[in-house]
Amino acid sequence: MDSKCRCWLIYLILHLIDKGSLQDTLEIEGVVGDSVILPCSYQERVLNPDERNVFWRYNTYKKVYNIEKGKPITGDQDAVFKDRIESFPSEYKNGNFSIRLNHLNFTDNGEYFCYISKVKQQDKLRLTVRAPLSTLSPPKPTTHSRSSSMKTEPNGIVTFLIAVLEVFVLRYFGVFY
């Protein structure tokens, strides 16, 4: 494989990564003490009640909430989520399996997964819980603070790498598209 083909192959792979897997995580932000909605839905078709099996997990192993055959099940729910989760059973028939997490605290930071078993769909969300904004005084800037316009999330890095690769391909191979 010549170097021109290799560059195009790398370019295509980076584009696929940038458009797909790295952007699959939905970022949710909440404030300590407040509530957030963690969205999860299936819109391809209407699910029969026996197909409405949805399993919410925190950091892949803690049981947040289960919906089995269209009915909420909380018996084996992890203790940290007891009495803090609300769902919307009237919305299940519309494919909406979102939940509300109440009384947020810093230990809620992390990844949440919504798995709809019969259609093998998994949604991934990342929750970041921050302190409430203080109305007493604004934060004071520090002399060691740095700012950058480049995103540090994976999809920002991949976008940057794609731009560098595009310049490389255009400059050294004269390929224009």
Side-chain angles (χ1 to χ4, degrees):
M1 178 184 286
D2 68 354
S3 58
K4 201 178 235 187
C5 288
R6 237 177 287 143
C7 284
W8 275 108
L9 180 62
I10 292 169
Y11 174 78
L12 289 173
I13 289 170
L14 288 175
H15 257 295
L16 288 173
I17 290 171
D18 189 41
K19 299 289 187 258
S21 63
L22 294 177
Q23 292 182 348
D24 285 343
T25 303
L26 179 63
E27 301 286 336
I28 306 285
E29 186 174 295
V31 176
V32 170
D34 285 353
S35 300
V36 292
I37 298 286
L38 302 177
C40 177
S41 65
Y42 181 75
Q43 303 298 317
E44 299 295 317
R45 64 180 175 82
V46 175
L47 296 174
N48 296 323
D50 65 324
E51 293 179 301
R52 297 177 192 155
N53 296 317
V54 181
F55 305 98
W56 277 96
R57 297 294 179 264
Y58 169 72
N59 289 340
T60 65
Y61 68 93
K62 284 189 177 182
K63 293 179 180 177
V64 178
Y65 199 80
N66 289 344
I67 300 165
E68 295 180 19
K69 296 187 178 182
K71 301 207 184 306
I73 306 292
T74 58
D76 59 349
Q77 183 180 44
D78 194 280
V80 298
F81 297 107
K82 285 277 188 207
D83 302 320
R84 296 179 54 216
I85 300 292
E86 290 179 60
S87 71
F88 312 97
S90 64
E91 289 295 313
Y92 297 168
K93 65 182 179 291
N94 300 322
N96 182 358
F97 304 104
S98 302
I99 58 174
R100 178 186 324 235
L101 177 55
N102 296 311
H103 312 293
L104 290 174
N105 56 61
F106 291 119
T107 59
D108 294 325
N109 281 314
E111 291 184 337
Y112 290 79
F113 299 89
C114 170
Y115 181 67
I116 306 171
S117 66
K118 294 292 183 176
V119 294
K120 297 183 181 8
Q121 174 181 310
Q122 179 170 302
D123 294 344
K124 182 176 169 183
L125 305 97
R126 182 174 295 117
L127 175 62
T128 303
V129 179
R130 62 175 174 76
L133 295 177
S134 173
T135 55
L136 300 175
S137 63
K140 295 180 178 140
T142 62
T143 56
H144 302 292
S145 64
R146 286 181 13 176
S147 78
S148 172
S149 61
M150 184 175 154
K151 297 192 297 185
T152 57
E153 289 88 29
N155 58 347
I157 293 167
V158 172
T159 302
F160 172 75
L161 291 173
I162 288 172
V164 169
L165 183 60
E166 286 175 347
V167 169
F168 176 79
V169 168
L170 290 173
R171 185 165 189 199
Y172 290 100
F173 297 104
V175 176
F176 294 94
Y177 52 94

